[in-house]
Amino acid sequence: MAKKYIDVMDTSFRDGFQSVFGGRVLMEDFFPAVEAALEAGITHFEFGGGARFQTLYFYLREDAFEMMDRFREMVGPNVNLQILARGINTVMLDTGSREMIDLFAKLFAKHGTTTVRNFDALNDVQNLQYSGACVKKHGMAHEVVVTMMDLPPGCKGAHDVAFYEKVLREILESDLVFDSVAFKDASGTSNPHKVYETIRMARQLLGEDTHIRLHTHETAGVSVAGYLAALEGGANGIDLAAAPVSGGTSQPDILTLMHALKGTDYDLGGLDLNKVRRYEKRFRECLKDYFIPPEATRVNPIIPFAPMPGGALTANTQMMRDSGNLDKFDEVIEGMTEVVEKGGYGTSVTPVSQFYWQQAYANVMFGPWKKIAPGYGKMVLGYFGRTPMPPDPEIVELAREQLHLEPTEENPLDIADRDEKKSIAYWKAVLQAEGIEATEENIFIAAACDKKGIAYLKGESPLMVRKGAQNETKQSEGAEMAGNYTVIVDGKKYSVQVSEGEGEITVQPAGESSASAKESPEAKPATPTGGKGTIEVEAQTPGTVWKILKKPGDHVDEGEPIMILEAMKMEIEVAAPMQGTVATIDVEPNEQIEEGRLLATLA
């Protein structure tokens, strides 16, 4: 009897990069590995979307659309190139308007996408309908998703087989058109028995002709067992990665599953062991200079108690490294259980996983529930759809008071459509005012990436790639000095770029491009009219000074914002601790600051 063919999607070049490097891998460095993967017989790649879309603009000075075009040109017309989209967010930082969601689908189809995996972290089927229709309208295959995780011990009310069956039935009863179904466990916490029962339930409900696949991560240590359970339950496909971006926070390695399936009736993608080994050898050579965070290579036994996706975990630890407070990681991850339970049990996958992280981070840095993170607060108030279970009423009230928003049951798309800043016309005007050509690609980059997208389009975005001496696996003796480094001098962070060859060294304030450092007169601290005040305002968290709202001489009331910091992808207002007059502003826009840094003084 012929073995059952199992489709393998190689996630190395999207989720692998996201899970190990926070997405920060330059295209010229990894393209030779794509050629090696083709030679190994890989015909299905995840090549873009998700958080990796923004990463190219935020940290790499690269264009995601150019990367996708070159990827397609390299693999040819017949390879299945898949991207990840977040329902009503698609690849944007926030809920998109209907016209922006349609533009997303148009552009991703134009730039080589075959299949869109489309998920909603809340499993609110309403959030999948319009984006799914746009995907099909523009000629791509639509893979609809049910998101999974195990709840922390002691929590119950969602994320069991009955809950997933309810979501799947809602999909079938809606007008949603799909080509395949994926069960996506970004935190890798679903226990294998539940995986088996869930896939078996789905097979019975969907029939034999529907393609069903599982996506998971090795973060909690049960991914291989989960994949074996999924195959036994009737799955047709699984997602795997190649070393050095496999295992740990990423997907299991292709070679690992080939070994695990020895002697079984499954054919893993028709792949040849020796060809895969040659592919991985080439891949390791391509990325040999990259710093691999230690946490990206490990199974973390605390993850079932604090479900954190692999891709989010390393992105957050990278940001904590940049900010100098990685020592807070264990405390923040420990606080995840409470924020999951009180937040209504949305699946811990972007963007909800980031909401959980931001709230746990805020609880650690500012005190338990003293500050509601904006994303978390809007989620419990209903602005992103319906959570699987009602959130804690006390947390809802805190969010209402702090964010000055009322709870809602309105369709998030209707809210987004009323927001002028989510319209094509708004971003076209912004680009024209900046002197940037208003192509559809540029409009979408600006809308999806906001001020950082504009910085990229103006040539002012930073290059933040961890290579060179930061790679702990590199031999220190004779190692090249070329790379990007961060140094601290008198409490201020500076990015140091050391070029190859003649060894040119460029130093600039961290988080600020060399162009903006030279050309932005508004980036100077305001000159105080007198001495420092007696009331000091200090930073309660590391971060970046995003916007200064007041200047010396301005009167402020107690609680009135003086400036806005950015930390962990959220905006944090720095408020006046009492009524008074601003005496000094002691930081500059775009300056990286440490916890306890003096920001301003009041008289």
Side-chain angles (χ1 to χ4, degrees), residues 460-487:
E460 298 176 357
S461 56
L463 178 63
M464 299 178 70
V465 181
R466 290 182 174 271
K467 297 174 74 172
Q470 296 185 71
N471 191 341
E472 294 178 349
T473 66
K474 195 166 190 166
Q475 295 289 335
S476 59
E477 190 173 33
E480 296 291 335
M481 287 299 295
N484 296 272
Y485 306 87
T486 299
V487 297

Side-chain angles (χ1 to χ4, degrees), residues 220-235:
V222 295
S223 64
V224 174
Y227 275 149
L228 295 177
L231 295 179
E232 287 299 308

Side-chain angles (χ1 to χ4, degrees), residues 145-159:
V145 175
V146 177
T147 57
M148 301 177 69
M149 69 176 185
D150 262 18
L151 294 176
C155 301
K156 58 183 178 180
H159 290 286

Side-chain angles (χ1 to χ4, degrees), residues 412-562:
L413 287 178
D414 292 336
I415 298 172
D417 282 346
R418 292 197 303 269
D419 188 342
E420 179 194 13
K421 292 183 179 179
K422 296 182 178 182
S423 69
I424 289 175
Y426 173 83
W427 288 105
K428 185 180 292 186
V430 169
L431 292 177
Q432 290 170 345
E434 293 283 355
I436 300 169
E437 185 181 3
T439 63
E440 288 185 321
E441 283 83 357
N442 286 352
I443 289 169
F444 189 78
I445 291 166
C449 302
D450 200 11
K451 63 183 183 295
K452 293 184 179 180
I454 297 294
Y456 164 79
L457 293 170
K458 293 171 69 176
E460 298 176 357
S461 56
L463 178 63
M464 299 178 70
V465 181
R466 290 182 174 271
K467 297 174 74 172
Q470 296 185 71
N471 191 341
E472 294 178 349
T473 66
K474 195 166 190 166
Q475 295 289 335
S476 59
E477 190 173 33
E480 296 291 335
M481 287 299 295
N484 296 272
Y485 306 87
T486 299
V487 297
I488 302 175
V489 181
D490 293 333
K492 289 189 177 182
K493 283 195 173 187
Y494 294 88
S495 293
V496 181
Q497 297 180 2
V498 183
S499 303
E500 295 182 5
E502 296 300 317
E504 177 184 351
I505 300 176
T506 303
V507 181
Q508 63 191 60
E512 180 181 281
S513 71
S514 56
S516 63
K518 295 174 183 176
E519 299 171 8
S520 299
E522 70 274 14
K524 302 291 184 183
T527 303
T529 56
K532 288 188 179 293
T534 57
I535 306 299
E536 296 186 341
V537 181
E538 297 180 343
Q540 293 181 269
T541 176
T544 303
V545 179
W546 177 45
K547 185 182 294 185
I548 295 176
L549 306 175
K550 300 295 181 182
K551 62 182 184 300
D554 286 352
H555 175 81
V556 289
D557 292 323
E558 181 179 349
E560 187 173 355
I562 299 171

